[in-house]
Amino acid sequence: WERRNRRITGKGIDMRRLWGKKGIRSSINGFFFPMLPEKHCALHQLYYDPNIENKNLAQKWLMQAQVSPQAWQFCWALLSPDKVPEIQYFGASALHTKISRYWSDIPTDQYESLKSQLFSQIACFSSGSKMVLTRLCVALASLALNTMPEAWPGAVAEMVRVFQEEGGGVDGRARCLALLELLTVLPEEFQTSRLPQYRKGQVRGALGREWGSVCPLLQQLLRRTDSPGAVKARVLRCLSSWVLLDVPLSESEGLVHDCFSALPDPELFDTAVEAIVNAISQPDSQRYVNTLLKLVPQVLALQEQLQEAVQNGDMETCHGICRIAVTLGENHSRTLLEQVDHWQSFLALVNMIMFCTGIPGHYPVNETTSSLTLTFWYTLQDEIMSFESDKQSVYLQVYRPVYFQLVDVLLHKAQFPSDQEYASWSSDEKEQFRIYRVDISDTLMYVYEMLGSELLSNLYDKLGRLLTNADQPTSWQHTEALLYGFQSIAETIDVNYSDVIPGLIGLIPRININNVQLADTVMFTIGALAEWLADHPVMLSSVLPLVLQALGNPDLSVSSVSTLKKICRECKYDLPPFATNIVAVSQEVLIKQIHKTSQCMWLMQALGFLLSALPVEDILRNLHSLITPYIQQLEKLADETPNPSNKLAIIHILGLLSNLFTTLDISKQDDESADGSAPPVKTVPPTPGPNPVVVVLQQVFALIQTVLSKWLNDSQVVEAVCAIFEKSVKTLLHDFAPMVSQLSEMLGQMYSTIPQASALDLTRQMVHIFASETDHFPPIKALFELVTSVTLSIFQQGRGNILCLMPLSSLDVKAVFHCGKFAHNLHKRSPPTCLCATELLPRCSDVPPLARVVQEDGKLLVQAVLEGIGGGASRSLMDQFAEVLFCLNKHCFSLLAVWLKEALQPPGFPSTRVTAEQKDNFSQQILRERVNKRRVKDIVKEFTLLCRGLHGTEYAAEY
């Protein structure tokens, strides 16, 4: 190899010229391990030292060494034969890092020397460590990508020629495997390379032209009867890698056929599957219709092998063959559908995929194949439905029966196993099965678009026969699966006009519910039909008792509570006759604490919907009985010394109240009767007087203040208190008016004592809704002035993590604006608050005081933003700074032009690394972009990289 190197370059590799004047030994002893103890090198510590701190130190050190200039020196020494493989691997990795990321360090006249040395090292390691060989091949592949096509034309052809030459004491099999490894990693390295976009196009074209050198070699090795299994496996890997470069399917057709021939060999099966799948899934492959038509019989010929695999329980083989069939069908459905002369072969392929969908066994314990097929059925349906009506009708005649069969198969696959078997499953297997059923549900919903109401009739007939045939015993699994089919469709499809739903509602009470899974599905099916029940309220009496009975079963917590919530939301105007019973049952399960916290919150929301349709006096009576126990409990808790236990109880009670008030809205009665969504006879005229929610809040207000007095320093309790009022305000809007004055006063006291974000959020809601109302302006103004003053003082103290609010024209907008400016000035210690600026600036034209403040002090804001961009703030905040500049440019263009010019004029600001020309270019780019916010963000990111000295580095490439 050294002789070959001299023959190519006329001399040996000039190591000193290429990588510096220091000797290799001095670099290793001096730079590489200058801080670690003499007896322990960094690599030894990384791999063998049990001390994690030493490992971390060594890893950090080695990563720095790998990208250092000295890496050019020590990497070759670490590849010495007397080193252990771990050290050799690090040397090869360092070599790859330098070539792939610091290619510009290498003088042009040293390319040949470096290439020759890499060839030499690959030859040496072809019989050595596999992991070192791979890294060396990746390094040479990176060199090839950086030099082709100009500096190294015909790179692949030369690789093949070099490794076919005998010599160097390396046997032919090892040379062959090394060459195949090199050819395999070359396209993979291209896919992950950091080449500029224009270079990527050039290199992709060059690699495409090199396929002519690769294909004959792969065919020869794959078809030779004496080729070892390891060589054939490597050939298949190589093919799989190259087809990802969009090699035309017509040019790889012969090799793909060879891959099918390799499938019976268990050692080659997985790699052959991968190669076939990669070849036929390339986007360009649909152009080669004749080749695709030749592949269909070959895929169909795999059915015998598939059947044997199923009988033998060989899941891996089933999985691989299914992947091939699904890939062909999914990627080329339209192309194959259009070949009308071959419709029978494509139908046979579809039936083969159907077999894979219904493969025996329960997913994921007995099989993992069926889930691969579900997206195929989406794709095929989309293609069929996209044809013109005349063609579509022809295809539907053929494929509608197929999709009805698919429904039967999917519902069979969705069935639960026996109780005993299901109990033996792990929690992970049960979760995978749950997700699998959700995927089946989505597929059934999609299939409905093709099969329509006939699908529901089909399901109803089967369920009816199942439940009414007393002579034939049925399993609960079969009943549950059919109900699950109904639920899947009714959840997302409007079934209000289906003539089978009344029959289904009538069948539900006949179901012998003796299993939790079946009961869950019954509940979810009823919930999915809530909208239909709203239009057919006479059927409520058939299903509501089932739901209320299920509420008492903790195993049905999620399904029963969510179903009751849906019914109360959709059917509330038909529920007054059932209200007393619903409230009583709900109270009972709440008191018994049957449900978890989240379900308790849902149940309170359900009761809020229910009460909204009652007369006010009935609402107040029910509210009193419903929440009095909780108010009494809260009074006791308020008297106790704060501790973690009573904190959770307080938050729970406050959460119940806030969820109840979220949905209790009597104002919707008038709205819904006016737009016709509910018959006028069902509505209750609003009673003059305060809203029931306001009445309750006024009654408990003093108690809430008592709770706050003890828990004001606890953000979670404060947040729970604010949530009650915030949700009430959002629901009631102007009906909340009687509470404005006392709530504003309480908020002011809270915020001035211990400022918290939840109090600010509630204040913002109050300002948005009531600031424009004359009667409520004084308390809102006082609250806003106090919040502004307190927030400004917080910023001045160095705590810049609170958002500013919307301004009022008569308030001190100068102070509000300075909150935002101070937030920017604090970016070294905390995230900058740009919301204030982006909220205020659009209002300049209609709020004169704000316009004056911006004109007077806007430059300060621009300087703060530029300082952050220049390096004073985290790079993760650049999008926020870009938002401010974009907003200024859009609303204060002429002022921003002046401010940028003045702010960027001082030398060294915002960074000593940028020139005056670069600053001027940045300014002009910003001023040009008044529409494209995304472009402004890119400009800011590029400028901050320049300011930080990172532009053009690997670090920047990941930004």
Side-chain angles (χ1 to χ4, degrees), residues 153-167:
V156 174
E158 183 177 343
M159 293 175 186
V160 173
R161 186 176 64 256
V162 167
F163 282 94
Q164 284 180 335
E165 293 178 359
E166 297 184 8

Side-chain angles (χ1 to χ4, degrees), residues 113 430 459 494 498 533 561 576 578 635 646 658 677 697 710 735 792 870 942:
S113 301
K430 290 177 179 178
L459 294 176
D494 183 5
S498 171
L533 288 168
V561 174
F578 309 96
E635 287 174 342
N646 56 28
S658 63
S677 61
L697 287 176
K710 290 191 175 182
D735 286 348
L792 182 58
E942 186 174 356

Side-chain angles (χ1 to χ4, degrees), residues 318-320 322-323 326 330 368-376:
C318 294
H319 200 83
C322 177
R323 279 187 68 199
V326 169
E330 192 174 319
T368 56
T369 297
S370 58
S371 62
L372 299 176
T373 67
L374 298 181
T375 53
F376 164 76

Side-chain angles (χ1 to χ4, degrees), residues 356-363 367 370-371 407-416 433 436-437 440 481:
C356 294
T357 303
I359 202 163
H362 287 287
Y363 182 97
E367 61 90 8
S370 58
S371 62
V407 171
D408 293 339
V409 169
L410 290 176
L411 291 178
H412 179 74
K413 293 297 294 184
Q415 288 186 23
F416 281 88
F433 182 60
Y436 176 68
R437 278 170 53 97
I440 287 177

